[in-house]
Each structure stands twice: as C-alpha cells, then as structure tokens.
Amino acid sequence: MTVPAPPFTPTPVSPRLTESSNDVGMIGDGSTVGSRSRSRWRRVRWPIIVLGTLVLLGVVVVFARPPASHTDRRFDPNSPEPQGSKAIIQVLSRQGVHITQATSVTDAMRAAKAGTTLAVLDDGTMSAADRDALLKSPADLVLVEPGGDLINGATDGKVAVEQPWITVSEVRTANCDDVDAQAAGSITTRESGFIVDSGVTACFPEPGYAEYNSFVTLRSDDRTVTAIADGTLMTNGSVAHEGNAALGLRALGKHEELVWLYRFDADPQATAENRSGGVMPEQTPTVLLFLVALTVVIALWQGRRLGRLVSEELPVVVRASEATIGRGRLYRRTQARGHAAAGLRAASADRMATRLGLPRSAGPNQLVDACVRATGRTTQDITESLYGPPPADDGALLELARHLDRIESEVYHQ
C-alpha cells in the first residue's frame, strides 16, 4: 500500500528579512549583509570605545601635566639634583619671598623693578645686548659667578674677576664688616674670587692671598650690587656646608620679590633640544610606556574571552533521572565516594535548612543546632552525618545515605 505524500506548503518568508532595504542579499548561512554588519559592530564596539577612552586619557595625562623640571641644568630652581637650587628656593618661599623664574633677559627685565632683587646666575652664554639691557635694571643685583664684562659694567670697573686656579674646595672666613658675611661666618668655594678697588666691601679672602675675595658688595646708582664668585654654595649639594645657606639666603632675601634668572638660550632650536634632552619630545618615554601597558591590558582582556554564548537546541531530551543515574555510575566507576558523599550531604543540608527556616547565610553550627532541636539527636551525630569524613567503602556510603534520609525525615515530621 502506497502512502500519498503530504501536499507541499511553501515556507513563509519572515517579515524581518524584508523590512529594511539594507538587508539585501541572503548569505549561505541564512543571514544578510546588514545583519552581519550589525553583529560585527556589536562585537567590536566595546573594544573600540575602551581603546579610544584610554588613548584620550593618555593624551590628556601626557600633555596636560606641568612641564618636567630640567634636572640637568645647574641652578634650576625646580631641580632636586645636586646641581639644582630647589632647596634654597623653597626656604626663601617659606620666608615669604615671592620668586619669579625667568629664562630670558626680557622676562627678567619685565619682572625686576625698583625694590626687588634680581639674581643672575652664570651669565657665560649671555649676549652683549642682553648684558647691556640687564645693567639698566633698577633692581638690586645679585651676580652669581659673573663674567668679567658683567661685573665690570655693574660696578663701573671697580671689581675684576680673577681666573680660577683652585682645584679643590676650601673653607674661607668672612674677615669683613658686612653683616651678611658675618652672619655666615665661613663658606666653601672653589673659585679664586674678585680683585676690588677702594669703596667696595670685600669678604671671604683666599688664605695667603688677601686680594682675592669670594664675596663683594657695593652701593651704586641707587641700587646694591652683590657678587658671589662661586655659585656652588647655592646648589642642593653644597648649601648645607659651613655658612653657605646663611650667605645665600641673606643675599637673596633682602626684598619680598626675587627674580631668578638662570638660563640664557639664544638659539630657539637649541632651547627646544635642551628642554627635551635630544631630538625626541620630552613625553616620548611616558607615551611609549603607556602604549606598552595598553597593549598588555588589551591582550589579557581579549585573551580571556571565549566568545559569545550561543544558544542551541539540544538534539534529544535527557530526563533528569537519567542524568542522575549517569553521574552516579561515573562516581562508582572512579570510586569517587568522597564526591558522592559531599553531594548527598550538601543536598540534605540545603533541604533541611530550608525546612527549618534558616537563611542562606547560616553557617554549619547554626544548621547543626537547629537539627538537634528538631530531631532530638546529639550534636556529634548530626555533625558527623553532615560534615564527617568521606566513607571508606560502598557500604559506608550506602549507610550514610540512609542515615541522612532518616535525619531529614525526622526534620520534616517534627
């Protein structure tokens, strides 16, 4: 007998596939170009957002931070290195002196007014035009390691610089009537010093050569000019020696305003290279370190991903009883009595705790006490049943299951 075939019924096309003009062209797996594009965007949008955020954060951190201290420059007021002058600058600030840092004569002349102190440190690279402009300042001058032209111009030729020939640091005492020098008492220096004419107060002469002095001061044109032969006494590495700090603080702190002129970069290209330490930008190491850290984070993040969860219909329906029997057979085959006993105990404990109204946060002691009250059994009996050692053989496992069943029945029939 031939059974006739059922009539063919065409499968209706899903409206979802025709709603959008972008979903054009079916692909072999039943998807469309539009659906695939949306799926890819959903997969990559969070990595793109996170990566963009981190990059933007890195740019803000690198370029919004204050410029780093030029720690390789001598007399740098922001540098904690031995050649820097951060220590004496901080002490002056705490004493109420307002300090203006200048890196050009133009900036210094704009800030240095009458009644202020202008400290010029190591003018070796200053141009003649800048030097002439500086000498017109009405502020009191403190010249640290000045060149011959600067000190001659500032003192009308009354002070000359002696070329240094000392190779080691030596201690010199004041030996003058200047109150600042007397307060310092003694200083350390490596310079021979200044040769002065009459009318100039000279202090800290070289032992055996009284004509060479490390500290001179005179009043000229309604301002005071002070010269210090060796600026090392103002650096972090030497400021604590002898009376170096006292002399530096008293010479620089006479007024409430101090202009600190310590750099003379005439060539703009040289200025950029000195600030960066080379042809690479100053932020290059920080950016590279940030990119390395970002790469590691992304690698760890993506490396741990196992892909999206995909729901799939099971080919067959497995009954719960069959799954339980299958697990039991596996336990029996591997002789995993401890795992089987732990499963029995955990299930019994969970059911009895629910029956007794205990919260999920209840501990073993609370459960044991509640079972003792409900069944009248001893604490040792309940504890060994629920938390005892694993059974030694199959018979002990079977006995444990029966004992747990009896305890659970007593709890339910209390």
Side-chain angles (χ1 to χ4, degrees):
M1 179 177 181
T2 303
V3 179
F8 172 74
T9 304
T11 303
V13 179
S14 174
R16 184 175 60 85
L17 299 179
T18 59
E19 287 176 355
S20 175
S21 59
N22 294 329
D23 295 338
V24 178
M26 297 292 294
I27 305 177
D29 59 357
S31 62
T32 64
V33 176
S35 64
R36 278 198 168 187
S37 299
R38 288 191 295 270
S39 178
R40 289 171 182 170
W41 167 244
R42 284 194 296 268
R43 288 198 300 268
V44 302
R45 61 182 176 182
W46 281 112
I48 291 176
I49 293 173
V50 172
L51 180 61
T53 304
L54 291 177
V55 171
L56 180 61
L57 193 62
V59 171
V60 171
V61 169
V62 171
F63 293 101
R65 67 178 184 176
S69 172
H70 304 288
T71 57
D72 58 334
R73 297 302 297 263
R74 196 172 181 221
F75 302 125
D76 188 339
N78 301 314
S79 172
E81 299 297 324
Q83 294 295 318
S85 298
K86 185 175 182 178
I88 196 169
I89 291 297
Q90 285 187 336
V91 174
L92 287 170
S93 299
R94 291 170 186 161
Q95 292 179 350
V97 178
H98 178 265
I99 301 168
T100 302
Q101 301 178 22
T103 58
S104 68
V105 174
T106 302
D107 295 339
M109 292 296 292
R110 188 181 299 114
K113 308 296 181 181
T116 65
T117 302
L118 173 57
V120 183
L121 298 103
D122 189 9
D123 66 312
T125 58
M126 184 184 295
S127 66
D130 285 343
R131 189 180 300 111
D132 294 339
L134 187 66
L135 293 175
K136 298 178 182 178
S137 172
D140 289 348
L141 296 179
V142 177
L143 309 179
V144 181
E145 296 185 5
D149 294 338
L150 181 61
I151 190 64
N152 285 335
T155 61
D156 296 328
K158 295 181 179 181
V159 180
V161 177
E162 174 65 18
Q163 294 297 325
W165 55 272
I166 302 175
T167 57
V168 295
S169 179
E170 64 180 12
V171 179
R172 296 185 185 182
T173 57
N175 290 338
C176 67
D177 296 332
D178 184 81
V179 292
D180 296 337
Q182 289 182 350
S186 62
I187 63 171
T188 60
T189 182
R190 291 175 178 267
E191 300 290 335
S192 297
F194 305 109
I195 300 176
V196 302
D197 292 340
S198 59
V200 179
T201 302
C203 304
F204 302 102
E206 182 179 347
Y209 302 90
E211 66 272 20
Y212 301 143
N213 299 271
S214 296
F215 178 85
V216 297
T217 180
L218 79 157
R219 187 73 180 175
S220 174
D221 297 332
D222 296 328
R223 70 179 180 185
T224 300
V225 178
T226 302
I228 300 174
D230 187 4
T232 305
L233 63 87
M234 294 188 180
T235 60
N236 300 326
S238 302
V239 70
H241 298 168
E242 300 295 332
N244 294 355
L247 183 64
L249 291 173
R250 293 178 70 91
L252 298 171
K254 292 183 180 299
H255 301 290
E256 294 182 356
E257 295 287 335
L258 169 64
V259 180
W260 186 270
L261 178 59
Y262 71 106
R263 294 179 58 205
F264 313 98
D265 294 321
D267 184 4
Q269 183 176 359
T271 300
E273 292 185 358
N274 286 335
R275 290 182 179 178
S276 64
V279 296
M280 298 296 291
E282 186 178 5
Q283 296 86 358
T284 298
T286 304
V287 172
L288 291 178
L289 182 62
F290 175 78
L291 291 177
V292 170
L294 181 62
T295 302
V296 172
V297 170
I298 293 177
L300 293 176
W301 172 33
Q302 292 294 330
R304 296 184 61 181
R305 288 179 61 86
L306 301 177
R308 295 187 304 161
L309 294 178
V310 179
S311 60
E312 182 180 358
E313 296 292 337
L314 293 176
V316 295
V317 177
V318 181
R319 297 180 179 177
S321 59
E322 295 181 2
T324 303
I325 293 174
R327 175 176 292 186
R329 289 175 178 173
L330 288 176
Y331 282 160
R332 183 175 183 179
R333 180 179 301 175
T334 59
Q335 297 183 355
R337 304 181 186 90
H339 288 284
L344 291 173
R345 286 167 166 162
S348 296
D350 183 65
R351 289 191 294 268
M352 287 189 291
T354 302
R355 177 66 177 178
L356 295 172
L358 297 177
R360 298 186 64 86
S361 60
N365 293 333
Q366 294 175 279
L367 177 59
V368 170
D369 293 341
C371 290
V372 169
R373 290 192 299 268
T375 62
R377 293 175 177 268
T378 64
T379 302
Q380 181 178 2
D381 184 16
I382 301 296
T383 302
E384 289 182 355
S385 300
L386 294 177
Y387 306 105
D393 50 30
D394 292 344
L397 178 61
L398 182 60
E399 180 59 30
L400 174 63
R402 292 171 178 170
H403 194 62
L404 289 173
D405 184 62
R406 288 194 294 269
I407 295 175
E408 192 171 345
S409 298
E410 294 174 4
V411 168
Y412 270 78
H413 294 86
Q414 62 170 341

